[in-house]
Amino acid sequence: MLLFGGAILRASFTDLYLRYVKEGLRPFLIAAGLLLVAAAVMTLWYSFRSPEGHDDGHGHEHHEPKVGWLLLLPVLGLLLVAPPALGSYAAEQAGSVVAQPDGNSDYPPLPAGDPADLSLVDYASRALFDAGESMRDRDVRLTGFITTAPDGKPMLARIVLTCCAADGRPIKIGLAGRAPIDVPADTWVEVIGRYTAQTGKDPVNNVDVAYLEVKTWQEITEPKQPYA
């Protein structure tokens, strides 16, 4: 418990926890880590104060099974080896999330700036359910990692979390125009382009996939918050 609580606190006080859960869950992780550490310290204190508590009354001491030490392996793995955030492999195995309509007949104006920064979910929703009307004659900027479509062409993707990485689902955007060809999967890129009426189908779950007409793109480092 002491090591597990320490591992949770270490992840919570750095950006490491963002590979596992949404940003808003940080206070709960810290609280859980502190409770585990406190419980472990109290257990150790009680054990050292009451060694007779391990005796069965007949002069025989009880010992915990040695296999219990194997529980340390995942904790040590978390402390010593931090797995990467979900990436292209997860995106290729799962179907794209279904972009939801805004609920209004008119989408709000794009954010100020040129290009306008949009999330992949927002772009897909505007492209599929608004026919791009709210993005006419505007350049937009999308950020995600490269994944490979079944036809071998690149797609832009990002993992969407409801709570944690266990329920992560990809949102995928097809890339037309000057798309980043021959870029390795899991490479993070920033693409600038405009709405195109081109659409496709995700073969995993057969949902509609929006496309972006790419004008320029550049490789970037993985953002602090890799999930959408």
Side-chain angles (χ1 to χ4, degrees):
M1 280 196 298
L2 184 63
L3 286 175
F4 189 43
I8 292 176
L9 289 175
R10 172 180 174 269
S12 301
F13 285 118
T14 65
D15 294 332
L16 182 60
Y17 80 102
L18 293 173
R19 299 184 183 182
Y20 308 104
V21 299
K22 299 190 78 170
E23 190 170 10
L25 294 178
R26 186 178 201 171
F28 300 100
L29 285 178
I30 294 174
L34 290 174
L35 285 174
L36 284 171
V37 170
V41 170
M42 292 180 66
T43 302
L44 288 172
W45 177 77
Y46 177 79
S47 298
F48 284 119
R49 279 204 59 191
S50 308
E52 67 277 3
H54 297 285
D55 196 289
D56 62 4
H58 300 283
H60 302 290
E61 291 188 355
H62 292 295
H63 297 280
E64 292 76 9
K66 294 182 179 180
V67 71
W69 288 99
L70 292 177
L71 294 173
L72 290 177
L73 294 180
V75 178
L76 291 175
L78 181 60
L79 285 170
L80 302 176
V81 181
L86 297 177
S88 63
Y89 178 79
E92 292 168 11
Q93 303 304 310
S96 183
V97 298
V98 180
Q100 297 296 326
D102 182 73
N104 301 316
S105 58
D106 296 322
Y107 277 73
L110 292 182
D114 186 26
D117 288 305
L118 287 182
S119 69
L120 270 63
V121 174
D122 192 10
Y123 176 81
S125 180
R126 291 170 183 264
L128 296 174
F129 297 103
D130 190 39
E133 287 298 328
S134 60
M135 301 184 289
R136 295 291 182 188
D137 303 320
R138 288 289 304 276
D139 288 344
V140 297
R141 176 164 50 207
L142 308 180
T143 300
F145 58 82
I146 295 296
T147 189
T148 305
D151 60 4
K153 295 181 180 179
M155 299 182 76
L156 192 67
R158 200 149 184 173
I159 303 296
V160 180
L161 299 189
T162 301
C163 173
C164 60
D167 59 37
R169 292 277 305 280
I171 176 70
K172 307 173 189 178
I173 302 293
L175 300 176
R178 299 178 180 177
I181 305 297
D182 297 328
V183 175
D186 290 313
T187 301
W188 280 84
V189 296
E190 183 181 87
V191 297
I192 295 175
R194 290 198 173 189
Y195 162 78
T196 173
Q198 180 181 352
T199 61
K201 289 285 186 179
D202 189 326
V204 180
N205 60 351
N206 203 42
V207 304
D208 290 329
V209 173
Y211 270 69
L212 177 76
E213 185 74 20
V214 179
K215 298 173 68 175
T216 62
W217 65 273
Q218 64 176 349
E219 184 175 337
I220 61 172
T221 58
E222 179 180 313
K224 182 183 75 171
Q225 172 55 278
Y227 301 122

